[in-house]
Amino acid sequence: MFRVDGYKSKNVSIKGLKMDFKKINLDTEHTNTNYPPSKNKKVSVDYSKLREWDFKLLSYFKPFYAPLCNLCCLCTYGKCDLSKNKKGGCGINLEKQQARIVLLACCIGASTHAAHARHIVDHILEENPNLKIDYGNAINIVAPLSTTITGITPKTADDLDKILVYVEREITNLLAATHTGQEGSYLDFESKALHAGMIDNLALEIAELAQINYYNLHKGEPNTPLIDIGLGVIDDQKPIILCIGHNIAPGVEIIDYIDDMDLSEDIEVCGLCCTAIDISRYSKESKIVGPISRQLMFIKSGIPDIVVLDEQCIRADILELCAEQNIPIIATSDKCSLGLIEMTSKDENIIIHELLSNKHKGALIKDMAKVGKVAVGLALLLKKNQKPKQEHRNIDISELINGCTECEWCNRVCPAMLPIKEAFVLGKNGDLSGFSALYGMCVGCGKCMGECERELPIIDIIRIASKDKIASERFKIRAGRGPIQDIEIRKVGAPIVLGDIPGVIVLAGCSNYHNGENEIALITEEFLKRGYIVVAAGCVAMDIGLYMDKDGKTLYEKFSGDFDKGGLLNVGPCVANAHAIGSAIKIANIFAKIPLENNFTNVADYILNRVGACVIAWGAMSQKAVAIATGANRWGIPAVVGPHSSKYRRLYLGESELREITDKRTNEKVKCEPAPLHLIYCAESMNECMAMVAKSCIRPNDTPKGRLIKLTHYVDIYKKYYGCLPDDLHLYIRNEREIPYEDKKEILKFLKEKEWNPRNAPNEPSIL
């Protein structure tokens, strides 16, 4: 017992102070975390509360459906025509059917990421079950999504498994709801889609926790190494092993075997899609070919000697494409077996011999260590024996170009609506500039070749016409850094919540662009220059790296990798999107002191009303992308998708008018700006995207200074691309102090025309 009856000095006055040291907890084992040990804890999730939150969200952001067709063909009652308010044989209408299709897409995306996590977690449980799960001393909030959703902060592989079992159970229940004769409410279908999205986000976090800890990847270091990216960085004089997919395991074994055999100077390992980002996190010697849009063109070039596949984002015709080039395939996953003979149990020398002699087009090998030995050994022998290839690199394409009948079917089927026929017209006159202009704009789907009545190899023509551009394609991308450090959140939490930092932009998507891969880089550059924090993952992170400014630098070379004003972060592959969403959750906890454990609704409500974050899923193509974005929506983070994302069939749209919410401090209903306006919105152009994103970072909690900053950017971007003031500007100005200085005179006139009146900001905005 320590006691002070009385003490007084110039600055301090103490009276009756008592301190009982017996009540101090001396157990220091858990002093670095706010959460108790998880050994005996069970996953605890109240679905009813989550559903209640969903219905609250959906009362503000109404589902808007854009059907691709009016038919339902999912059961033998069909096909059923659901147009003109007709019902199908089971009683379903078009509204419910569209909601069900979106739920199915989200379940597909969630199951893909969950299966990825399951593969790594099972491997850890088998090889290193005592592995400690953490992100080092700089990060105490290791698993913000897991803690908030399940109440468990994972510290061991068993904890990861426990949470993953919950994920898998929920995906099963959600899929069951899509069966004929189950769910009959479009709102409940939407609630389940939001749940599937959240489950997807949770699976992302488990996958990242597992692979970062098991493979000792970067744990939040801002300034990770700069990695080579681009077709021009690949040394085709060496044996080349190309890894495609999203699972790091095969690539790691290949790199380790190369290092063990001291062959790093003699063999080239490169990657496509998220596997490329992951192996570059593991070894800075590996190289990145690029995003999914590069896959078809690189395979058809015949440059790779071997293609190693794991899972996700692999072309369904990859086996035929590689067979045309005499490139053997090694598949490594049950999820992508391609009809190949399983050779896991065979001796690696026998496998190499059978593939070298062209006895098989490829092999399915599920032993990752054996994959490493076979891939390296086979690549060396193929190069030594000068494996014949169907060389398209030096063929004369003039005859092919002259074979075009100018029927325009290539233009009609191109998802990016590229001027392919016009390139042929120029090419017939010896001008290949039209084809070279298509390089970097082509999304690599190959639909033009499938439609061509003359069976012209259009992708090859584009590649050959662009050979000089490809040879000089040498860029830099920062290696995926992984999580955001707690100290970074502590530094920027207040500026983000109060509006001094105008927003956090999360880039998540594929490469299905309308006007080329430079679009995402231009969007990124616009917001970086304005002081937004930009966090990228997956294919978009690579596409940003494939752009240089007029000074010959990539954005990764120009901007810091810190989670701070004007910072550009590559957090890693698709599963690293968990770090971006997790940063918003950490802000709620570290800055606002909101408890995380089993507190999803309060955390999400805080993010929705106070954290100026926005997802951009530009170029989104896959079911994974819609699951990620829908999960972000449940956390209260709006998403702007496009340019083809209306094909996902559903948006969540708000009303462009003052919105009634609750001020939690007074418990009164108040009118405030519709911020964010929409929860998921499809922009048709890059310009519309940027204007909507700037607006989507506005929050009711902004201080007058913060609102001034955000409105300055919103107005400036809108005027830059549309030439006028935004028509809804009056909804977001609460008083004259928030009017952007440069346009104040024009805006005051505009406000007078709108009969605008000042209003007070809510103290503690909430929709609960």
Side-chain angles (χ1 to χ4, degrees):
M1 172 74 74
F2 173 77
R3 178 172 178 170
V4 178
D5 292 326
Y7 172 80
K8 190 171 184 180
S9 70
K10 182 178 180 180
N11 298 316
V12 178
S13 178
I14 300 174
K15 186 177 182 180
L17 173 65
K18 294 180 181 180
M19 295 181 69
D20 188 350
F21 293 100
K22 291 180 181 179
K23 296 181 181 180
I24 295 177
N25 183 5
L26 296 177
D27 179 10
T28 60
E29 182 181 353
H30 304 289
T31 54
N32 287 330
T33 177
N34 298 320
Y35 311 110
S38 56
K39 184 176 180 181
N40 299 317
K41 295 193 71 175
K42 295 181 179 179
V43 170
S44 174
V45 182
D46 189 337
Y47 179 77
S48 296
K49 284 187 177 179
L50 293 173
R51 180 174 179 263
E52 186 179 337
W53 167 252
D54 296 338
F55 276 49
K56 181 69 73 170
L57 275 179
L58 295 170
S59 70
Y60 286 95
F61 307 100
K62 309 289 186 183
F64 173 85
Y65 299 109
L68 282 179
C69 75
N70 297 323
L71 300 177
C72 177
C73 310
L74 288 182
C75 79
T76 59
Y77 280 142
K79 52 187 181 182
C80 294
D81 180 5
L82 305 180
S83 64
K84 300 178 182 178
N85 294 320
K86 287 182 281 191
K87 294 181 181 180
C90 70
I92 201 167
N93 62 18
L94 190 57
E95 183 179 49
K96 298 172 187 177
Q97 170 66 356
Q98 296 309 300
R100 176 166 68 159
I101 292 295
V102 174
L103 170 57
L104 278 167
C106 290
C107 286
I108 293 170
S111 64
T112 305
H113 289 135
H116 177 184
R118 171 55 66 193
H119 178 270
I120 302 171
V121 170
D122 282 353
H123 188 64
I124 295 172
L125 289 169
E126 182 178 335
E127 298 293 329
N128 189 5
N130 296 318
L131 179 70
K132 183 182 177 183
I133 303 299
D134 67 31
Y135 282 149
N137 294 329
I139 299 175
N140 290 334
I141 305 175
V142 174
L145 286 87
S146 299
T147 303
T148 307
I149 296 168
T150 70
I152 294 178
T153 299
K155 299 178 179 67
T156 67
D158 282 335
D159 292 335
L160 297 180
D161 178 61
K162 197 184 299 183
I163 296 170
L164 204 48
V165 167
Y166 164 73
V167 166
E168 292 158 346
R169 185 183 72 224
E170 293 303 291
I171 291 172
T172 301
N173 288 338
L174 291 167
L175 280 171
T178 66
H179 191 278
T180 303
Q182 288 270 47
E183 186 56 74
S185 162
Y186 82 93
L187 280 177
D188 264 308
F189 272 129
E190 291 296 350
S191 174
K192 290 175 172 64
L194 289 164
H195 191 57
M198 184 197 75
I199 292 299
D200 171 84
N201 296 170
L202 183 56
L204 301 178
E205 183 172 83
I206 298 303
E208 268 288 87
L209 282 165
Q211 64 187 23
I212 287 177
N213 280 278
Y214 186 70
Y215 294 111
N216 195 28
L217 308 180
H218 299 293
K219 293 184 175 181
E221 302 93 337
N223 295 309
T224 52
L226 289 167
I227 305 295
D228 291 328
I229 180 173
L231 288 174
V233 306
I234 309 301
D235 184 354
D236 61 2
Q237 299 306 304
K238 295 179 181 179
I240 296 171
I241 300 174
L242 172 65
C243 300
I244 304 178
H246 284 251
N247 193 322
I248 189 175
V252 164
E253 294 295 342
I254 292 168
I255 291 167
D256 283 351
Y257 186 69
I258 288 172
D259 289 343
D260 291 344
M261 301 303 292
D262 197 23
L263 294 169
S264 58
E265 298 295 323
D266 303 314
I267 198 163
E268 193 90 316
V269 179
C270 57
L272 270 162
C273 298
C274 285
T275 289
I277 291 183
D278 267 339
I279 61 175
S280 70
R281 292 206 281 180
Y282 186 74
S283 168
K284 63 181 181 181
E285 304 301 323
S286 63
K287 296 176 180 176
I288 300 175
V289 175
I292 188 173
S293 57
R294 292 284 200 268
Q295 189 172 156
L296 178 61
M297 191 170 290
F298 193 56
I299 295 296
K300 288 182 71 63
S301 74
I303 293 174
D305 292 287
I306 295 174
V307 171
V308 178
L309 308 173
D310 46 82
E311 56 182 291
Q312 304 173 38
C313 295
I314 301 163
R315 286 188 61 92
D317 60 351
I318 190 77
L319 187 62
E320 300 98 288
L321 290 170
C322 287
E324 290 172 6
Q325 308 300 326
N326 289 323
I327 302 171
I329 279 180
I330 298 175
T332 64
S333 170
D334 286 331
K335 296 181 282 294
C336 178
S337 301
L338 301 175
L340 296 170
I341 296 173
E342 184 169 345
M343 300 188 185
T344 306
S345 60
K346 286 189 176 184
D347 180 84
E348 51 260 26
N349 292 314
I350 294 175
I351 300 173
I352 291 171
H353 173 73
E354 292 187 0
L355 294 179
L356 192 63
S357 62
N358 290 322
K359 184 177 180 180
H360 306 290
K361 295 178 181 178
L364 173 62
I365 308 173
K366 294 188 286 186
D367 180 336
M368 298 304 144
K370 188 170 287 186
V371 168
K373 294 176 182 178
V374 171
V376 173
L378 183 58
L380 290 169
L381 287 172
L382 286 168
K383 200 68 175 182
K384 180 180 178 181
N385 296 340
Q386 293 296 308
K387 176 175 68 72
K389 296 179 181 179
Q390 298 292 325
E391 279 286 1
H392 292 307
R393 285 184 241 179
N394 299 314
I395 62 173
D396 182 5
I397 58 174
S398 58
E399 186 176 342
L400 294 171
I401 293 172
N402 287 325
C404 173
T405 62
E406 300 179 25
C407 66
E408 291 194 69
W409 273 106
C410 51
N411 285 18
R412 295 175 194 174
V413 300
C414 177
M417 297 181 285
L418 298 178
I420 303 170
K421 186 214 78 172
E422 290 74 10
F424 274 100
V425 172
L426 288 173
K428 289 178 180 180
N429 295 317
D431 183 357
L432 299 180
S433 62
F435 287 111
S436 63
L438 297 178
Y439 181 76
M441 299 175 70
C442 173
V443 300
C445 67
K447 290 173 72 174
C448 54
M449 294 191 299
E451 199 68 37
C452 180
E453 61 183 19
R454 302 300 301 274
E455 299 183 353
L456 298 175
I458 299 172
I459 296 293
D460 287 317
I461 295 171
I462 293 172
R463 177 177 53 78
I464 294 164
S466 310
K467 61 183 179 181
D468 292 338
K469 186 184 290 187
I470 292 172
S472 62
E473 189 180 71
R474 309 177 70 88
F475 303 97
K476 294 289 184 181
I477 177 176
R478 198 170 293 285
R481 59 166 280 173
I484 315 301
Q485 294 183 11
D486 293 2
I487 193 170
E488 292 178 289
I489 298 293
R490 201 165 282 116
K491 181 180 178 182
V492 302
I496 290 172
V497 172
L498 302 177
D500 292 353
I501 292 178
V504 179
I505 311 298
V506 179
L507 299 176
C510 314
S511 297
N512 189 20
Y513 307 120
H514 170 62
N515 198 31
E517 59 205 13
N518 279 357
E519 277 195 340
I520 194 65
L522 294 171
I523 291 170
T524 301
E525 188 175 35
E526 181 78 59
F527 285 107
L528 286 172
K529 288 179 177 179
R530 295 175 180 275
Y532 290 75
I533 299 171
V534 179
V535 182
C539 279
V540 290
M542 289 182 270
D543 281 323
I544 292 169
L546 293 171
Y547 165 81
M548 281 185 180
D549 65 8
K550 61 181 184 299
D551 298 322
K553 288 188 176 182
T554 67
L555 297 181
Y556 291 107
E557 294 171 286
K558 286 186 64 176
F559 294 93
S560 160
D562 295 296
F563 190 79
D564 202 349
K565 188 173 184 177
L568 171 59
L569 291 73
N570 172 19
V571 287
C574 280
V575 293
N577 278 294
H579 303 309
I581 294 169
S583 68
I585 301 168
K586 285 186 174 188
I587 289 170
N589 178 253
I590 293 174
F591 172 69
K593 308 301 181 186
I594 295 178
L596 297 187
E597 192 171 313
N598 289 124
N599 198 22
F600 182 93
T601 300
N602 286 314
V603 171
D605 183 59
Y606 183 89
I607 293 171
L608 175 70
N609 289 286
R610 307 194 194 196
V611 180
C614 182
V615 171
I616 302 178
W618 202 244
M621 169 275 295
S622 68
Q623 293 90 355
K624 294 186 302 174
V626 72
I628 292 169
T630 302
N633 292 161
R634 198 186 220 187
W635 289 101
I637 302 173
V640 178
V641 298
H644 299 286
S645 298
S646 62
K647 297 172 188 174
Y648 282 131
R649 300 175 174 84
R650 185 264 287 130
L651 304 173
Y652 291 142
L653 303 182
E655 298 290 342
S656 189
E657 58 187 25
L658 292 180
R659 180 179 294 165
E660 185 175 84
I661 63 170
T662 301
D663 188 332
K664 290 176 72 174
R665 186 175 299 179
T666 62
N667 204 30
E668 295 178 347
K669 296 293 184 182
V670 295
K671 291 283 188 178
C672 79
E673 55 281 290
L677 176 57
H678 306 301
L679 209 51
I680 187 163
Y681 177 84
C682 183
E684 295 183 2
S685 69
M686 180 180 74
N687 300 348
E688 184 185 10
C689 170
M690 288 189 283
M692 181 56 71
V693 169
K695 179 164 65 176
S696 297
C697 288
I698 296 172
R699 292 294 181 275
N701 195 65
D702 297 336
T703 63
K705 179 185 175 184
R707 181 62 59 86
L708 169 64
I709 292 170
K710 291 184 179 184
L711 287 178
T712 298
H713 294 303
Y714 176 41
V715 170
D716 190 53
I717 289 174
Y718 201 93
K719 291 187 75 173
K720 179 178 179 179
Y721 294 109
Y722 291 95
C724 61
L725 292 174
D727 190 56
D728 59 358
L729 181 59
H730 60 293
L731 297 174
Y732 299 95
I733 298 175
R734 296 170 300 197
N735 58 67
E736 289 193 19
R737 289 182 296 163
E738 299 172 351
I739 298 176
Y741 303 132
E742 189 172 328
D743 302 290
K744 190 165 187 176
K745 186 175 180 180
E746 182 183 4
I747 292 173
L748 285 171
K749 181 181 177 182
F750 169 84
L751 293 177
K752 186 176 181 181
E753 292 172 356
K754 291 288 186 178
E755 298 181 350
W756 169 85
N757 290 307
R759 65 179 187 279
N760 294 323
N763 298 295
E764 295 184 38
S766 170
I767 66 168
L768 294 177

